[in-house]
Amino acid sequence: MSSHQSKMRVENLKKHFTANQGLLDRLLSRGDREVVKAVDGVNFDIREGESFGLAGESGCGKSTLGKTLLNLHDSTDGSIYFDDADITTQTGREDIAFRTEAQLIQQDPFNSINPRYKVFDWVKEPLDVHSLGTRDERTDLVMETLNEVGLRPAEAYASEYPTELSGGERQRVGIARALVLNPSFLVADEPVSMLDVSVRASVLELLNRLKEERGLTTLFISHDLSLLKHMCDRIAIMYLGQIVEVGPARQLINDPQHPYTEALVSSTPIIDPDVERERIRLEGEVPDPINLPSGCRFAPRCPKVMDECWDEEPRMYDVAEEQEARCILHDEAHADKDVSVGGAQATSD
Ligand SMILES: Nc1ncnc2c1ncn2[C@@H]1O[C@H](COP(=O)(O)OP(=O)(O)OP(=O)(O)O)[C@@H](O)[C@H]1O
Ligand SMILES: [Mg+2]
């Protein structure tokens, strides 16, 4: 039994989209409706106060998962427990409470802010929507929040239009809007990837400070493994709608146990003098989440693929303390085998 308190727990979560077909095809019911399995059977647990990282190549389902967790998408199947209540079945007052507790920080500070709003009104809007506080209380709260995210003096920023601000400042406005409802859970979806490299560190530092001061639990989505290693307690690696590896951040990156993680890590420049790596080239493209391969989803690109990999989808195996990987190389049946079967040997340790 785990001694950790769970903030969000996901069981067999699926989000499938029905791909767009032409109107005529639909009217004539021509062809099968194609289903995009963006999230396809995900299980994990985010602990109270934890920063949980989510990485994987473009299109693997990270944003869809993040939005489904916030109830911004209806899930296709599975359960999402937030503070032990299943949000997929909540309605009315409970649903509204969840929508104040859990907030999204978006990737794009340029398009996610309505340019017709002044900063003050943009940050205040969620309070208006939820009819929280008196007019004066709302004003005070907006000003305090602007201060907290480093937009100082708050009075000066409050009357600006977002178009007058830099990217870093706009992202702080986005963070203020997410914080004004005093949430306990954040999804930060690539929160610095659109920002100038020079301001990224200060925005990340802000997110770290908020985690400490407010005790926030965060799902941190990023392509950048070295950023996640720095920001997160644990990391999950996603491939074609599924989690293929999860573990403590440093441990997972220093000693990946799934060939996909290994390949991702080896293609990421991570500055760590303790670890030496060979580069593994990932061949091919991510297959389309409509026509999934049978067996292991990574088999068509895996440098260590074996015959059995095509037979059935692998389960998660315990591979180290708190670390799990979805790869049959960790099955007892392969305990005697050299892990380099069939291809490039990855790390030398
Ligand atoms: N609203 C939608 N309708 C149909 N398909 C969608 C929709 N949103 C996402 N998808 C598809 O779901 C899959 C996962 O997309 P998603 O945006 O979640 O990936 P991602 O991991 O966030 O990628 P990136 O790193 O590029 O942001 C993709 O194949 C995408 O085309
Ligand atoms: Mg995305």
Side-chain angles (χ1 to χ4, degrees):
M1 264 235 326
S2 163
S3 57
H4 302 283
Q5 175 94 26
S6 155
K7 185 70 183 171
M8 182 161 266
R9 185 161 50 85
V10 169
E11 285 175 4
N12 191 33
L13 186 66
K14 295 185 183 174
K15 175 60 191 174
H16 295 176
F17 295 106
T18 307
N20 272 339
Q21 285 179 308
L23 179 62
L24 193 63
D25 286 337
R26 268 186 281 139
L27 288 176
L28 298 175
S29 318
R30 223 163 28 198
D32 293 329
R33 284 163 74 80
E34 293 198 312
V35 176
V36 178
K37 298 180 175 178
V39 174
D40 199 30
V42 162
N43 295 281
F44 62 77
D45 193 352
I46 304 179
R47 299 164 185 164
E48 183 89 51
E50 175 174 56
S51 268
F52 188 83
L54 186 62
E57 283 163 293
S58 190
C60 70
K62 304 179 297 295
S63 297
T64 304
L65 177 57
K67 286 186 183 153
T68 308
L69 292 185
L70 293 176
N71 229 346
L72 300 173
H73 283 316
D74 285 332
S75 55
T76 306
D77 195 9
S79 311
I80 304 169
Y81 296 95
F82 181 76
D83 289 337
D84 292 326
D86 187 348
I87 63 158
T88 61
T89 56
Q90 277 177 357
T91 53
R93 198 180 297 178
E94 287 169 332
D95 182 50
I96 292 169
F98 174 71
R99 285 174 199 279
T100 65
E101 281 283 318
Q103 297 293 321
L104 177 65
I105 295 176
Q106 310 219 43
Q107 171 175 25
D108 185 350
F110 300 92
N111 287 321
S112 57
I113 299 181
N114 187 329
R116 287 194 295 267
Y117 281 61
K118 286 187 174 175
V119 167
F120 177 81
D121 296 314
W122 184 248
V123 175
K124 183 169 74 76
E125 191 185 51
L127 296 171
D128 298 338
V129 168
H130 292 279
S131 310
L132 296 172
T134 63
R135 219 184 117 137
D136 287 349
E137 284 167 345
R138 290 180 205 183
T139 303
D140 289 349
L141 199 51
V142 171
M143 292 307 188
E144 272 171 34
T145 312
L146 291 178
N147 258 311
E148 186 178 358
V149 300
L151 295 170
R152 295 189 207 110
E155 293 72 22
Y157 280 97
S159 56
E160 298 257 18
Y161 284 95
T163 43
E164 295 164 324
L165 304 179
S166 70
E169 288 169 332
R170 277 190 231 192
Q171 192 55 301
R172 287 171 194 266
V173 173
I175 295 171
R177 180 172 152 112
L179 287 179
V180 79
L181 292 170
N182 194 22
S184 57
F185 180 69
L186 289 182
V187 172
D189 191 352
E190 303 271 11
V192 299
S193 63
M194 309 269 294
L195 303 180
D196 269 3
V197 176
S198 61
V199 301
R200 285 184 188 173
S202 65
V203 172
L204 293 173
E205 204 178 292
L206 168 64
L207 291 172
N208 249 339
R209 183 161 59 75
L210 294 170
K211 172 192 171 180
E212 297 305 325
E213 291 176 1
R214 290 185 173 235
L216 284 168
T217 305
T218 309
L219 176 70
F220 205 118
I221 299 174
S222 176
H223 281 94
D224 185 341
L225 286 175
S226 80
L227 185 159
L228 292 181
K229 182 178 176 185
H230 175 69
M231 294 290 290
C232 298
D233 303 297
R234 288 187 302 146
I235 296 176
I237 305 292
M238 217 173 159
Y239 189 76
L240 278 178
Q242 291 188 331
I243 288 178
V244 297
E245 183 160 4
V246 62
R250 233 187 110 78
Q251 180 180 313
L252 179 137
I253 284 172
N254 288 348
D255 197 9
Q257 297 294 318
H258 190 287
Y260 179 60
T261 315
E262 234 166 43
L264 274 189
V265 169
S266 81
S267 62
T268 310
I270 294 174
I271 303 144
D272 190 336
D274 303 339
V275 186
E276 254 185 62
R277 293 198 181 89
E278 239 176 87
R279 271 191 80 118
I280 309 168
R281 267 252 298 280
L282 260 180
E283 303 287 344
E285 307 245 304
V286 183
D288 170 349
I290 297 171
N291 302 306
L292 293 167
S294 64
C296 172
R297 294 176 187 205
F298 187 55
R301 301 170 77 199
C302 183
K304 297 179 179 176
V305 67
M306 303 177 288
D307 290 344
E308 303 96 293
C309 297
W310 304 96
D311 297 342
E312 60 183 288
E313 207 158 69
R315 62 175 177 87
M316 285 294 236
Y317 291 88
D318 288 330
V319 294
E321 180 83 23
E322 299 212 323
Q323 190 172 355
E324 291 172 49
R326 191 183 289 285
C327 176
I328 57 168
L329 282 170
H330 296 284
D331 197 285
E332 279 171 15
H334 300 287
D336 55 333
K337 283 195 185 147
D338 178 352
V339 224
S340 64
V341 184
Q345 170 66 295
T347 40
S348 42
D349 43 358

